[in-house]
Amino acid sequence: MKGKLISAHGYQGDAMNLPVADANSAAAYYVEKMGFAIVGRGDEPHRKVVLERDGIQMALAENGGEPEQDGCAFHTDNIAALRDEFIAGGLDKIGAIGDDTQGGKKFKVFFVVAPDGLCYWFGEEQK
């Protein structure tokens, strides 16, 4: 079974404008290690690569922002399966599954820091 992404929320409020130095080079990591597909590219107002997985999109943009200060939170339906899939795909900088509380809700979560410096939170709500 694979973990499915349910939603994306950019830490700075915009999952479609995540800052990277080189969008084309950075995109390869997400395709190879995390199962995203490139679904679009643009040059205005900044060079951008749009990535999609499970119908959920994010975009890497050469917008001058600091990747170490940004990232994205993804909700998933199966945290363990998603983490296992990432590891099987060769992703090696991945945190262990732990507990987190957001907005009064409990989640099982793990974190990934990409080579471009962006940090990702993956969480499955616990009911």
Side-chain angles (χ1 to χ4, degrees):
M1 178 177 210
K2 290 178 68 170
K4 179 180 177 184
L5 300 184
I6 299 169
S7 64
H9 309 278
Y11 294 160
Q12 303 298 326
D14 190 356
M16 297 303 290
N17 211 17
L18 300 172
V20 294
D22 184 323
N24 289 320
S25 293
Y29 172 83
Y30 299 91
V31 171
E32 293 169 12
K33 307 287 186 189
M34 298 170 78
F36 281 88
I38 296 172
V39 296
R41 296 180 189 271
D43 289 318
E44 296 297 329
H46 314 285
R47 180 171 294 128
K48 180 183 283 193
V49 174
V50 180
L51 301 165
E52 182 176 287
R53 178 189 165 124
D54 304 321
I56 304 299
Q57 292 188 348
M58 70 173 183
L60 307 174
E62 296 175 20
N63 58 16
E66 296 181 45
E68 295 81 8
Q69 302 299 316
D70 211 342
C72 200
F74 291 99
H75 289 197
T76 181
D77 66 347
N78 189 326
I79 195 77
L82 185 65
R83 186 174 182 279
D84 289 347
E85 178 188 339
F86 286 175
I87 291 170
L91 200 144
D92 56 357
K93 293 188 178 181
I94 187 168
I97 293 176
D99 297 313
D100 194 12
T101 302
Q102 297 289 327
K105 297 178 181 179
K106 294 182 180 184
F107 291 87
K108 290 291 185 187
V109 304
F110 68 85
F111 292 87
V112 172
V113 177
D116 52 41
L118 292 167
C119 180
Y120 296 94
W121 176 100
F122 294 90
E124 178 184 0
E125 186 175 353
Q126 304 297 291
K127 299 185 178 165

